[in-house]
Amino acid sequence: MANDVSDILPDFVRGARSDAERRAVASAIALPAHVVQAKGHGHAGTAMAMAPLAHVLFQRVLRHDPADPTWEGRDRFILSAGHASLLLYTQLHLTGYGLELADLAASRSLDSRTPGHPELGHTPGVEMSTGPLGQGVAGAVGLALAARRDAALHDARVWDPTVFVLAGDGCLQEGVSAEASSLAGTLGLDNLVLIWDDNAITIDGGTEIAFGEDVRARYRSYGWRVIDVADARDLDVLETALRDGAMRDGQPTLVALRSVIGWPSTAIGGTPAAHAGGFGAEEVAAVQAMLGFAPDAVLEQLVEPDALAWARQAIERGAALHADWDRQRSAWASANPEAARRRAALEAGSAQPGARGGSDPDAGDALALLDAIELPEQGTPVATRKTNGVVLQRLQQWGGLFGGSADLSGSTNVAVPGSAVSAIEPGGDFVHFGIREHAMAAMLTGIALHGLWRPYGSTYLAFSDYQRAAMRLQALMAAPVIHVYTHDSVAVGEDGPTHQPVEQIAALRTIPGLSVIRPADAAEVVAVWRRVLEQPDGPVALVLSRQDIPALTDASVRHADAAAGGYVAWQHGDGRAVAILATGSEVHLAIEAARRLAAEGIAARVVSMPCWEWFEQADEAWRDAVLPPALRARVAVEAGRGDAWHRWVGLDGRVVSIEEFGESGAGAAVLERRGITVDAVLAAARSAIAR
């Protein structure tokens, strides 16, 4: 290039268009090395080696606006290799997102704006909480899926961001990235660019010790296009690769970028030692000198005024991109007022009619659709998975939900009308995730981050174990994801202990921020859905029965009662002799036991607790009314591990639970063998009263 100054400046990078740009890249390399050495901990190696790539992305390619980090029209960048957080924070500082050098220096410190791994909502410009390797890749696939659907349903000229994600060897070794990448190729997500930092180093040594596969061939077999970049230092080559990767050609793109971790360090670079920890004072001084800084330069001297001024041009560039996009959106809204109204309703999270393009504009809002569901009469046996299926089909008319199942839509009753998303129909009504439970959960994170739809995914409860890492991140981000689980206990029956969940409900309840919901009958299913839609404050796990269970005494459960997480479902007299607490399919057992106690003149009450987490959030007066503190004779019954129920029944209480795996046999027989019976509840109640 005529304006390439490579011939007159030190050759640590090529393709810079001015000395100021080259110095900005030098700053981006030097800052992580200096910060980690000063702190004595952290991850500088990837942040240094990928600094030219991040510079090109944020300065030349990415559509973003530092003055408005949540601008709707922006492209997305997800750092799946979240340990390299300084790579992102450095660019956020240089391009004007409000991070200062002091914030970089305080990285990994308590209350800093720069935590050890990126956290959504904590640092402006961070699109997703990352750190557990592979989660960012799968989340980016979900985000690209939702964005592509948005473009198909509305206007691809306006609503069509590119999703860039940076992954390392560790991300590609984790199975979740393989699951998600396979589906991305099948669906033809050509708005997705996965940048692989191919540095051939992991903590224990070279990748050859455990990772000898041909990654490029693997991705080609998934249906991806692969672009090879042999030199991570050439800015123009990097720009060309990223722009080519973002072209809409029917395939997602893998940019395979060869690099040397810790570059340009000569003593530490290219070794496992570059992954974490300081490089040593002498080596950092040598790196700074190589980049044109004084060997003893302090942090503030590593960002020269001319370089910072050049980098901050990203603010003007972003403002221009933003203004141009606003004009395009306004023109689209004027030409498509009905589509604009519907999309605006989705943006606002509003339960308005016909939010999805093509749905019935007279369908009524989501809550009205729920209210119109006909509930079974008292005693009528209906599996809660069936009622949940009715709910999903009704809400399809609203259009605010989007999801699918892990190859179980018929069995988990999440099948909805319409067509599946595919490479040729990106605006489909639901997703076939395939047998990819982990990727499905992680992709739901990305769909939630896109923001238009409440995502849902479904599988058997026993397989929630595959999904825990993704669910934990969702809880950390308060992402409003809906997990639909069926086959909720050993009542699954003949499929045997491999498919009979025992410990899963208890395990899910240990995830902070995840609401575990186990409704007792059709009425509770509808009632809890109402709260889920009205208060989208984080992920939920909706746990449903395979077997039929009878409708409770009052089919018109008051929505507020179920939304409070626990309420008195049945009572004799003042109900102050004994309280029987239960969830899901065990509530009807509790009521039958309470009736027998009532026949003996014992004032029993049954407390249905569809969601512990909601009950904990309810006001104290409500909790005390449902479970009077003086009422110490309490029994809990649930067809699963009962350890944590002791917090609700106290030292004087009893727990009827299952503490071992199930067996292969009819569900009712397995329940009886494992002690989930009316007689067992009665015995526990009498023991609690006696105490």
Side-chain angles (χ1 to χ4, degrees), residues 598-678:
E600 301 171 12
I602 298 174
R605 70 174 58 193
V606 173
V607 175
S608 177
M609 294 186 67
C611 182
W612 287 13
E613 293 78 15
W614 294 352
F615 191 64
E616 290 172 339
Q617 296 165 15
D619 62 66
E620 185 177 3
W622 176 266
R623 295 198 307 270
D624 288 350
V626 173
L627 286 173
L631 176 49
R632 298 176 61 180
R634 301 179 181 181
V635 174
V637 53
E638 189 170 63
R641 288 294 298 264
D643 312 62
W645 274 106
H646 290 280
R647 67 182 298 189
W648 299 109
V649 301
L651 295 176
D652 296 323
R654 293 287 183 265
V655 178
V656 178
S657 59
I658 297 178
E659 301 301 318
E660 55 189 341
F661 295 122
E663 299 183 44
S664 182
V670 179
L671 282 169
E672 183 172 5
R673 178 166 291 186
R674 289 294 179 259
I676 304 299
T677 64
V678 173

Side-chain angles (χ1 to χ4, degrees), residues 29 41 71 121 132 139 229-230 234 241 266 385 401 435 463 478-479 490 514 533 540 552 570 578 586 663 687:
I29 300 168
H41 53 81
W71 164 39
V229 178
D234 192 310
T266 56
R385 65 169 174 166
L401 298 178
I435 303 97
F463 304 150
V490 298
L514 173 69
L533 294 180
V540 301
L552 302 178
W570 190 92
V578 63
E586 286 73 73
E663 299 183 44
S687 175

Side-chain angles (χ1 to χ4, degrees), residues 275-355:
H275 174 77
F279 285 15
E282 289 186 7
E283 185 63 10
V284 170
V287 168
Q288 291 183 178
M290 187 183 307
L291 296 172
F293 300 107
D296 59 350
V298 298
L299 188 66
E300 292 74 16
Q301 295 171 324
L302 297 178
V303 182
E304 297 158 347
D306 288 350
L308 183 61
W310 188 94
R312 290 287 165 87
Q313 292 179 99
I315 298 174
E316 297 176 11
R317 174 177 173 268
L321 289 169
H322 196 155
D324 182 60
W325 182 85
D326 282 344
R327 287 189 290 270
Q328 293 181 52
R329 181 185 60 176
S330 296
W332 168 78
S334 297
N336 303 275
E338 184 60 22
R341 182 192 69 80
R342 289 173 172 172
R343 195 182 186 286
L346 287 173
E347 284 178 338
S350 175
Q352 293 295 317

Side-chain angles (χ1 to χ4, degrees), residues 37 44-45 48 201 260-284 287:
Q37 177 61 28
M48 295 164 65
I201 288 292
V260 177
I261 189 170
W263 168 87
S265 165
T266 56
I268 304 297
T271 72
H275 174 77
F279 285 15
E282 289 186 7
E283 185 63 10
V284 170
V287 168

Side-chain angles (χ1 to χ4, degrees), residues 315-562:
I315 298 174
E316 297 176 11
R317 174 177 173 268
L321 289 169
H322 196 155
D324 182 60
W325 182 85
D326 282 344
R327 287 189 290 270
Q328 293 181 52
R329 181 185 60 176
S330 296
W332 168 78
S334 297
N336 303 275
E338 184 60 22
R341 182 192 69 80
R342 289 173 172 172
R343 195 182 186 286
L346 287 173
E347 284 178 338
S350 175
Q352 293 295 317
R356 181 197 180 279
S359 58
D360 181 1
D362 298 320
D365 67 29
L367 303 183
L369 289 167
L370 290 178
D371 292 341
I373 293 175
E374 185 176 350
L375 298 174
E377 295 181 358
Q378 176 184 343
T380 303
V382 179
T384 51
R385 65 169 174 166
K386 293 180 182 177
T387 303
N388 190 72
V390 173
V391 168
L392 286 174
Q393 290 188 30
R394 291 293 182 89
L395 291 178
Q396 192 74 357
Q397 300 174 57
W398 164 48
L401 298 178
F402 176 50
S405 80
D407 200 50
L408 291 169
S409 58
S411 187
T412 61
N413 285 77
V414 300
V416 294
S419 58
V421 171
S422 67
I424 61 174
E425 190 169 356
D429 301 280
F430 55 88
V431 184
H432 288 307
F433 287 101
I435 303 97
R436 301 180 178 98
E437 291 90 353
H438 194 177
M440 175 177 69
M443 288 174 63
L444 295 178
T445 303
I447 297 173
L449 293 176
H450 178 259
L452 276 196
W453 298 285
R454 296 287 302 279
Y456 68 89
S458 182
T459 187
Y460 294 162
L461 179 60
F463 304 150
S464 64
D465 291 340
Y466 287 124
Q467 302 180 310
R468 191 175 182 88
M471 298 173 75
R472 187 173 187 272
L473 273 185
Q474 290 161 6
L476 278 166
M477 292 184 280
V481 174
I482 301 167
H483 297 275
V484 178
Y485 296 118
T486 67
H487 297 57
D488 67 342
S489 71
V490 298
V492 168
E494 289 82 355
D495 280 337
T498 61
H499 282 52
Q500 294 170 359
V502 171
E503 73 278 19
Q504 279 75 15
I505 295 175
L508 290 174
R509 287 185 179 132
T510 66
I511 300 177
L514 173 69
S515 296
V516 181
I517 309 166
R518 193 169 182 239
D521 69 350
E524 280 196 12
V525 170
V526 174
V528 298
W529 262 104
R530 189 179 186 95
R531 164 149 178 173
V532 167
L533 294 180
E534 288 180 317
Q535 301 180 44
D537 54 359
V540 301
L542 193 56
V543 180
L544 306 165
S545 74
R546 172 182 182 264
Q547 75 278 19
D548 290 340
I549 52 179
L552 302 178
T553 53
D554 182 1
S556 59
V557 173
R558 294 192 302 274
H559 297 306
D561 290 352

Side-chain angles (χ1 to χ4, degrees), residues 25 27-34 36 42-55 77-91 116-118 130 133 165-171 195-203 207 232-233 238 257-265 268-279:
V25 177
S27 295
I29 300 168
L31 286 171
H34 186 100
V36 172
H43 302 270
T46 298
M48 295 164 65
M50 290 292 101
L53 177 280
H55 169 88
F77 171 65
I78 292 176
L79 182 63
S80 187
H83 58 275
S85 57
L86 280 172
L87 174 73
L88 177 57
Y89 299 151
T90 296
Q91 288 303 317
H117 291 81
T130 54
L133 296 179
V165 55
L166 176 60
D169 292 306
C171 293
I195 306 157
W196 168 36
D197 176 16
D198 177 18
N199 62 36
I201 288 292
T202 57
I203 294 173
T207 53
R233 302 176 301 166
L238 290 169
L257 177 58
R258 287 289 298 166
S259 74
V260 177
I261 189 170
W263 168 87
S265 165
I268 304 297
T271 72
H275 174 77
F279 285 15

